[in-house]
């Protein structure tokens, strides 16, 4: 998932947390012999093992569709815990099913397996030093030897999902439903020319047999450790990568009229694209799309007008209609401006884009007290992010809830922020407990039919 600005909330009041816990509890717990009545204490007990697992995964990151060892490690642990395990889903995906001893619904939790092509600079004892060949669709780095790092926190997501597996499997007989853990490859995108990620998992039947009624996912982010941000409707944006080529005719810089200069044409196109969000989008209906040119390339020498300029960038939109509209407008704008100068322009949208994602509003309302309870601070409600995540694909099939949890280690709280996707991104280990408690309690709340 892409970078999200950190939230700034007050320090976690521990006293308030425990009081809230006593006040809410799990509704079925009071005096009923509920084996999870002291779930927070159970999670705290298993936390050291979960932290150890995260560090081991962090030290051995793997890129999308190549998460062989990570998948093996996850599958082994799930089998030890008594899960029915399926491997090789959507290349390297692992699906674990734990059928509880009591009747009830199927609840899914999703975690991602993949890391990013980035050289780690955290200096941590368990930092990654691994390298791999970049096979992604970034035109500059493709084919190169790159550092690999869990810079999006997927190591934390896996560790939390295993934590949930441990705490719920410990009293399997009492579990009123079925837990389905989905460990998904290639969230950051598959290698060029390959399929992958959530869409491929769905295509291969991950939401069937057994079919989950709902799906939960937590994404860690820079921000106060253990605090949650939740949107009740739209959560993530679509993300599309484009490559535009503006072609003129090469000539001497002293005699531009003897050729066609693509440089001013590219400049006009870049500026005109910004009028799509600011002048052409109906801002009374939807927030604006985002169009960013991240790379601009062309030219051979200071006194030669080049034949071609290439632009690469990212487009973020928040509905399917807006996405289609913006892509069309970008192509039309580029072509028309180029034509006016006798140049040509093409805009190519690379495969593997992300669709926008939405939370189920009723599910969000129903689970909000759990998040409040485990974090002990008010949950920040917002209208989603321009970051993208293919969790959206599941939530387009069944009701889903995707939350963000702050994990900046307190010692780094007042230092310059290293967001996700940066080489200095770090995860506060004790916050994993908060995530495990949230996911376990939401699962139990749904299975028990509480808060409907
Ligand atoms: Zn990411
Ligand atoms: Zn991510």
């Amino acid at each position: 998932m892409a970078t999200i600005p950190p939230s700034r909330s007050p320090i976690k009041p521990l006293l308030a947390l425990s009081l809230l816990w006593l006040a809410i509890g799990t509704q079925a717990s009071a005096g009923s012999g509920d084996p999870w009545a002291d779930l927070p204490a159970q999670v705290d007990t298993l936390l050291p093992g979960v932290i150890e697992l995260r560090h081991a995964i962090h030290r051995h990151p793997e890129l999308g569709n190549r998460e062989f060892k990570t998948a093996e490690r996850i599958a082994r642990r799930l089998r030890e815990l008594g899960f029915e395990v399926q491997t090789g889903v959507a290349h390297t995906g692992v699906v674990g099913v734990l059928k509880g001893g009591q009747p009830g619904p199927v609840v899914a939790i999703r975690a991602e397996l993949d890391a990013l092509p980035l050289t780690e600079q955290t200096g941590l004892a368990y930092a990654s030093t691994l390298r791999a060949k970049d096979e992604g669709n970034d035109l500059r780095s493709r084919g190169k030897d790159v550092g690999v790092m869990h810079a999006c926190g997927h190591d934390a997501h896996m560790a939390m999902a295993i934590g949930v597996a441990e705490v719920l499997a410990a009293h399997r007989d009492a579990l009123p439903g079925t837990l389905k853990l989905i460990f998904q490859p290639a969230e950051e995108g598959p290698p060029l020319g390959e399929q992958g990620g959530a869409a491929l998992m769905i295509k291969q039947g991950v939401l069937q047999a057994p079919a989950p009624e709902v799906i939960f996912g937590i994404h860690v982010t820079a921000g106060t450790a253990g605090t949650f941000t939740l949107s009740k409707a739209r959560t993530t944006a679509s993300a599309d990568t484009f490559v535009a080529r503006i072609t003129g005719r090469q000539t001497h810089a002293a005699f531009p009229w003897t050729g066609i200069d693509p440089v001013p044409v590219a400049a006009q196109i870049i500026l005109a694209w910004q009028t799509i969000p600011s002048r052409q989008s109906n801002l009374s209906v939807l927030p604006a799309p985002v169009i960013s040119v991240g790379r601009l390339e062309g030219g051979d020498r200071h006194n030669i007008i080049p034949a071609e300029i290439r632009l690469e960038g990212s487009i973020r939109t928040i509905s399917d209609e807006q996405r289609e509209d913006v892509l069309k407008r970008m192509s039309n704008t580029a072509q028309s401006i180029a034509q006016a100068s006798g140049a040509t322009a093409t805009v190519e949208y690379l495969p593997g884009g992300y669709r926008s994602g939405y939370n189920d509003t009723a599910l969000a309302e129903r689970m909000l007290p759990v998040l409040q309870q485990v974090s002990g601070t008010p949950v920040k409600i917002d209208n989603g992010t321009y970051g993208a995540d293919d969790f959206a694909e599941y939530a387009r099939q069944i009701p889903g809830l995707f939350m963000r949890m702050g994990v900046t280690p307190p010692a780094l709280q007042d230092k310059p922020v290293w967001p996700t996707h940066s080489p200095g991104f770090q995860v506060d280990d004790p916050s994993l407990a908060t995530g495990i408690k949230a996911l376990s309690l939401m699962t139990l709340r749904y299975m028990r039919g509480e808060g409907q």
Side-chain angles (χ1 to χ4, degrees), residues 1-2 112 152-154 157 187-188 219 389 421:
M1 170 157 193
E112 315 89 309
C152 202
H154 297 176
H157 303 169
E187 192 287 320
E188 305 287 356
H219 205 297
D389 195 294
H421 286 220

Side-chain angles (χ1 to χ4, degrees), residues 120-184:
E120 179 156 356
Q121 292 174 21
T122 60
L124 292 166
Y126 57 90
S128 160
T129 54
L130 296 188
R131 303 187 68 80
K133 191 174 137 195
D134 189 343
E135 299 174 88
N137 65 10
D138 185 278
L139 302 178
R140 185 146 60 171
S141 60
R142 190 193 308 154
K144 293 202 173 135
D145 175 65
V146 286
V148 187
M149 176 191 177
H150 269 296
C152 202
H154 297 176
D155 52 337
H157 303 169
M158 284 182 259
M160 291 192 294
I162 291 294
V164 173
E166 289 184 9
V167 78
L168 295 186
H171 304 287
R172 179 183 186 164
D173 290 350
L175 189 69
T178 296
L179 174 65
K180 188 166 196 175
L181 295 180
I182 299 173
F183 291 88
Q184 177 208 306

